Amino acid sequence: MAGPINLARAPLLFALFAVICGCQTSSAQEDVPALIAHPTAQTRAELLRALTEALDGATVTIADDALTRENLLIIERKPHRDLRGRPLSGRDLGRPEPFRLVRSGSQCFLVRERTGERWLLQKTTCAPAAKAPPRGR
């Protein structure tokens, strides 16, 4: 059977425990909504490559200012058309695919909302997105 607890060592053990727990939580970077800070042809090409990979090789068209004003990007699938340009079916059953740009530490990531999958954008500099003002006041 264990002996009595030495209360003189309790503060030391508590401090050691706090340091260990603090180190583990501070090493993980929290995702912050972000915007592309300095858009260039190179950063746009990197974003297109990440989106094409995320969408299994599908050709993607995005605006020149994508992810520079808001951190949400919604990609819609292009409906299949016949030779005259008319939709092949009356209904489009494909769902739009939302992505978000986040900053974790000093790195930018494109995150697929539905699954949480992440793509590192190594050549892209991003800045934290400004918080939206409260509504209804």
Side-chain angles (χ1 to χ4, degrees):
M1 182 172 222
I5 298 174
N6 185 348
L7 294 179
R9 292 187 181 177
L12 178 62
L13 291 174
F14 179 75
L16 181 61
F17 179 74
V19 167
I20 291 171
C21 290
C23 290
Q24 290 176 347
T25 56
S26 65
S27 65
Q29 298 290 329
E30 185 175 321
D31 286 348
V32 176
L35 302 174
I36 295 175
H38 306 288
T40 64
Q42 187 178 19
T43 61
R44 188 169 187 275
E46 183 178 40
L47 178 58
L48 281 170
R49 276 192 298 274
L51 288 166
T52 298
E53 182 181 326
L55 299 170
D56 298 323
T59 302
V60 179
T61 303
I62 59 172
D64 290 338
D65 65 349
L67 298 173
T68 62
R69 297 177 190 205
E70 59 182 313
N71 79 317
L72 176 64
L73 179 64
I74 298 175
I75 303 296
E76 294 184 359
R77 301 219 182 252
K78 191 173 184 180
H80 296 288
R81 299 188 177 274
D82 65 14
L83 294 176
R84 294 185 184 166
R86 296 180 299 210
L88 287 177
S89 69
R91 293 176 47 180
D92 182 14
L93 301 175
R95 294 188 340 202
E97 190 73 60
F99 291 88
R100 289 206 182 268
L101 186 67
V102 298
R103 181 175 168 167
S104 182
S106 62
Q107 297 180 312
C108 292
F109 290 91
L110 183 67
V111 180
R112 184 190 305 238
E113 283 284 293
R114 186 171 44 87
T115 64
E117 291 174 278
R118 303 163 69 89
W119 289 265
L120 174 63
L121 302 178
Q122 294 179 340
K123 299 172 185 167
T124 302
T125 302
C126 59
K131 296 199 177 208
R135 293 185 189 183
R137 293 197 175 193

